[in-house]
Amino acid sequence: MLHESHAESHAELAQWGAASVRESFASYQAEFKHITRRARLRFEARDWRGAQADALERLELRTRAVARAGSELRGVLGTAAADPVLREQMKAEFERELADRPDPELAKTFFNSVTRRLFGTVGVNPRAEFVSADVETSPAAGGPPVHTAYPLQGSSEAVIRAILAEHAFTAPFRDLGADARLAAAELDAHLRASDDPRPAEALEVLKPVFFRGKGAYLVGRVRRGASFAPVVLALLHEEGGVFLDAVLLGAHDASIVFSFTRSYFHVDAERPSEVIAFLRTILPQKPLSELYIAIGHNKHGKTVLYRELVAHLARTTDRFELARGDRGMVMIVFTLPSLDVVFKVIRDRFAPPKNVTRQEVMQKYALVFRHDRAGRLVDAQEFEHLVFDRSRFAPELLQELLAESGDTARVEGDRVFIRHLYAERRVSPLNLFIRERDEWTARDALLDYGQALRDLAATNTFPGDLLLKNFGVTRTGRVIFYDYDELCLVTDCNFRDLPAPRDDDEAWSGEPTFYVGEDDVFPEEFLAFLGLPEQLRGAFVAAHGEILTAAFWRRMQARHRAGDIVDIFPYREAQRLRHGRGRG
Ligand SMILES: Nc1ncnc2c1ncn2[C@@H]1O[C@H](COP(=O)(O)OP(=O)(O)OP(=O)(O)O)[C@@H](O)[C@H]1O
């Protein structure tokens, strides 16, 4: 009897607990949407500072919401939180009431975040939290479609004009007719050049607009039978009105728009899973995790990444091993050869000259998370309490993990527990890339490395350590940065000219005879220190010589201090419809 009433009270507690998390999630989602919706107003008002503040506010929302939800749930459950049966009941209760939500997959991830923290879950407990089998892969049906189809019968110009008009803003278009004409010319040329003999039947465009920084993007596809190709219309708003800046066609260009090195879009979507399903048709090579992350559901994206990893491990047999390239002094970096993700575990101790602490390293990763990544900084997902099979680790990697990161990694029986790691996309380390590729490919990469430094400077980021080993080359051939422990704001550095040698100086001994402060940076020394291959040095200096002067960096500081917001767009100058005519 006693036993039964215990079960009953548990059932009731489970209901209350589930209801508490459900309400917390609903209010989190409402806030998320509220901020997301403001992106349109910011674009219309050209309020870029406001847009930046919104992006930050939205990024910070989650941690607070999960903490609040956790303390409320703790209040509801009290000491019963320790009971595993209650946890299982609560999961079932939570799931039961999800049917009427347009975003059940996000709700389940939220539930996991809150309960994992509260229960201190290590590894995964499928009875008390949602796992991949609980998550539907196709969006819930019902409601009007998330995109509009425009048949490509008459002229493409009329179609593009209709698309732009239908997505109009409260701010006027500067010259909608000219935009449509220029865009149609690009589209028609692209369609004519296609190998596909079937006629293009329609342009299908997502109803929600994708906002990021100073840009607004209409995301669509050309439909030919059952096959799709991406079409992205990039809009800007400058003085004089809104205009179409570029039409991005094909998988390569669209992929750069959705890159894992960009900040997250603000997309007002009722059912995120429908937007994701659409994106998958035009970016089939992008993992589902990255797509969720790209539209700002980064915690759900991270959960999906974990599931992708588990599924991948289940169908492969290769082992985790040290990543190619120079060893990090701060991180142990490992990868699975068959999966293009790297995992970074912080070492227990850093050899000199590194004088940062573990906490400072983590703060740098947190800074990158909040900062504009400008298409040049890899997005990293932070994981806690992972468990893997010991047999999947190469012995030398496991040995190094235990010897050098024993505070984070431990072995129990046939399992490896990792308390904390960052996961990020694997790219080709630039030092290896330049050494291994032909001279022209290497030269292009080196020039893009210079451009990466400029893009980072324009967005107030100084990488700290400019060595090529800290940069990588993506699938689309772009150079990006991944080593954050010395990264800082341009405005926090002191860029100095090298003092002219004094007459009484002894012959240069390698040590400066003038005072060097902790934040001092001498750009004139970069070249000597970078060790660029001899045959490429001239090309680099010709294209990017100004980066090697303190004056360049001080100019950047002045712009940032004046409040200039620079947006690095995900396409080249030559791709702009009116390129060569300057912006605005
Ligand atoms: N995203 C990535 N893709 C491929 N390889 C990577 C990636 N991130 C890191 N690596 C490899 O791991 C090495 C160490 O990584 P990272 O530079 O992040 O560590 P670190 O300990 O901070 O390095 P440092 O000692 O320069 O501060 C890199 O030089 C590179 O070879």
Side-chain angles (χ1 to χ4, degrees):
M1 202 56 213
L2 192 69
H3 186 74
E4 215 167 275
S5 75
H6 177 72
E8 257 170 45
S9 71
H10 255 183
E12 206 162 68
L13 256 191
Q15 273 174 14
W16 290 344
S20 161
V21 182
R22 198 161 47 242
E23 279 160 31
S24 296
F25 176 67
S27 71
Y28 162 69
Q29 267 302 80
E31 267 186 273
F32 184 95
K33 282 192 172 174
H34 184 71
I35 302 171
T36 301
R37 259 185 230 124
R38 279 209 297 261
R40 168 178 289 274
L41 307 179
R42 303 294 193 196
F43 181 78
E44 290 174 343
R46 304 183 61 229
D47 177 5
W48 313 129
R49 216 179 299 267
Q52 226 174 30
D54 287 346
L56 192 57
E57 188 183 341
R58 203 181 73 170
L59 289 172
E60 290 176 342
L61 201 60
R62 176 77 175 202
T63 311
R64 257 185 297 124
V66 169
R68 208 184 309 134
S71 65
E72 275 167 29
L73 182 60
R74 187 179 301 115
V76 171
L77 300 183
T79 52
D83 186 330
V85 177
L86 175 86
R87 296 176 184 181
E88 292 170 21
Q89 285 176 325
M90 206 169 77
K91 174 189 169 189
E93 283 297 335
F94 188 81
E95 185 159 29
R96 223 191 309 284
E97 306 240 348
L98 280 182
D100 55 342
R101 280 213 66 102
D103 47 16
E105 78 282 26
L106 306 185
K108 290 175 184 173
T109 294
F110 188 86
F111 178 90
N112 286 359
S113 300
V114 175
T115 55
R116 280 182 70 86
R117 267 188 101 224
L118 187 62
F119 305 154
T121 313
V122 172
V124 169
N125 175 2
R127 295 159 69 103
E129 66 184 299
F130 294 99
V131 294
S132 57
D134 298 315
V135 178
E136 46 294 303
T137 47
S138 54
V146 72
H147 66 267
T148 311
Y150 303 84
L152 275 170
Q153 279 146 3
S155 75
S156 323
E157 187 178 329
V159 170
I160 291 177
R161 187 194 298 263
I163 292 170
L164 294 178
E166 212 156 292
H167 288 88
F169 302 92
T170 56
F173 273 96
R174 214 147 65 175
D175 188 346
L176 193 145
D179 284 352
R181 198 167 57 249
L182 290 167
E186 298 256 330
L187 178 65
D188 289 341
H190 180 81
L191 293 178
R192 269 197 306 274
S194 160
D195 308 329
D196 197 331
R198 293 171 300 176
E201 290 159 43
L203 266 187
E204 297 179 342
V205 183
L206 281 173
K207 291 174 189 168
V209 180
F210 287 53
F211 293 95
R212 182 175 60 200
K214 295 182 178 177
Y217 302 82
L218 305 183
V219 178
R221 61 192 182 194
V222 178
R223 177 161 54 79
R224 283 185 164 103
S227 79
F228 300 107
V231 178
V232 178
L233 305 182
L235 296 156
L236 295 183
H237 184 191
E238 293 182 354
E239 263 166 53
V242 176
F243 61 96
L244 183 56
D245 195 38
V247 181
L248 305 169
L249 302 156
H252 177 270
D253 290 354
S255 170
I256 290 173
V257 176
F258 288 89
S259 165
F260 57 91
T261 57
R262 302 250 164 213
S263 303
Y264 310 146
F265 282 111
H266 286 223
V267 189
D268 181 17
E270 181 60 15
R271 291 177 185 277
S273 55
E274 287 178 348
V275 169
I276 295 294
F278 185 98
L279 292 177
R280 292 197 95 178
T281 65
I282 56 171
L283 298 163
Q285 79 286 15
K286 281 234 189 266
L288 187 62
S289 50
E290 279 182 28
L291 295 176
Y292 267 106
I293 292 168
I295 64 166
H297 295 297
N298 51 300
K299 286 295 174 194
H300 183 64
K302 174 185 136 172
T303 306
V304 175
L305 172 61
Y306 175 76
R307 290 174 187 151
E308 286 164 355
L309 173 63
V310 170
H312 183 85
L313 284 169
R315 60 173 183 263
T316 53
T317 54
D318 56 345
R319 294 191 298 192
F320 290 115
E321 53 187 53
L322 288 164
R324 288 186 74 218
D326 293 17
R327 297 278 171 96
M329 294 171 77
V330 170
M331 298 282 187
I332 297 180
V333 183
F334 61 96
T335 189
L336 261 184
S338 59
L339 185 72
D340 59 356
V341 175
V342 296
F343 304 92
K344 296 186 165 185
V345 172
I346 303 178
R347 295 179 191 273
D348 295 341
R349 273 170 296 281
F350 315 139
K354 293 277 178 197
N355 57 358
V356 284
T357 62
R358 176 187 177 88
Q359 200 184 358
E360 282 164 339
V361 171
M362 291 174 70
Q363 279 165 358
K364 299 290 180 166
Y365 277 77
L367 167 68
V368 170
F369 173 68
R370 294 192 308 271
H371 201 75
D372 179 2
R373 284 187 291 283
R376 300 294 186 174
L377 298 174
V378 179
D379 194 20
Q381 305 303 320
E382 196 170 2
F383 287 90
E384 289 178 305
H385 305 304
L386 294 176
V387 183
F388 298 108
D389 269 353
R390 180 182 186 158
S391 64
R392 296 303 290 264
F393 284 77
E396 54 281 12
L397 166 62
L398 193 55
Q399 208 173 8
E400 180 159 352
L401 280 173
L402 298 178
E404 308 252 328
S405 292
D407 290 350
T408 306
R410 69 189 159 87
V411 170
E412 258 178 44
D414 54 5
R415 297 196 299 169
V416 177
F417 291 74
I418 298 187
R419 195 162 57 79
H420 180 272
L421 62 68
Y422 295 105
E424 64 190 39
R425 262 286 279 280
R426 187 174 68 211
V427 292
S428 307
L430 183 58
N431 56 337
L432 303 185
F433 189 90
I434 286 191
R435 208 179 306 149
E436 292 167 0
R437 299 300 179 98
D438 64 82
E439 188 173 333
W440 287 106
T441 312
R443 183 176 171 279
D444 283 349
L446 193 63
L447 294 184
D448 198 44
Y449 159 76
Q451 190 57 48
L453 294 180
R454 286 176 187 275
D455 290 352
L456 290 170
T459 46
N460 201 11
T461 310
F462 181 62
D465 186 345
L466 306 188
L467 289 178
L468 303 186
K469 71 182 174 74
N470 298 319
F471 290 77
V473 186
T474 67
R475 264 198 309 232
T476 53
R478 288 172 52 81
V479 173
I480 53 85
F481 184 64
Y482 49 61
D483 179 359
Y484 301 153
D485 59 81
E486 292 182 40
L487 177 146
C488 57
L489 300 183
V490 170
T491 43
D492 287 345
C493 302
N494 184 22
F495 293 101
R496 291 179 57 186
D497 298 300
L498 275 181
R502 292 200 317 258
D503 289 344
D504 59 351
D505 269 357
E506 288 295 310
W508 180 243
S509 64
E511 289 298 322
T513 52
F514 47 89
Y515 175 73
V516 179
E518 201 178 320
D519 301 323
D520 285 356
V521 181
F522 295 90
E524 289 159 81
E525 290 187 321
F526 289 169
L527 199 60
F529 157 83
L530 283 176
L532 303 182
E534 195 59 46
Q535 71 278 19
L536 300 178
R537 198 177 288 200
F540 181 79
V541 174
H544 297 299
E546 66 171 343
I547 298 176
L548 310 171
T549 65
F552 166 83
W553 295 93
R554 288 198 294 255
R555 242 184 356 261
M556 288 291 156
Q557 288 180 320
R559 286 175 65 175
H560 295 307
R561 289 188 181 130
D564 219 6
I565 296 181
V566 180
D567 200 351
I568 307 296
F569 297 108
Y571 43 89
R572 296 183 312 280
E573 175 64 28
Q575 291 175 286
R576 303 182 65 198
L577 291 178
R578 296 172 180 85
H579 66 90
R581 285 185 234 170
R583 285 200 188 279

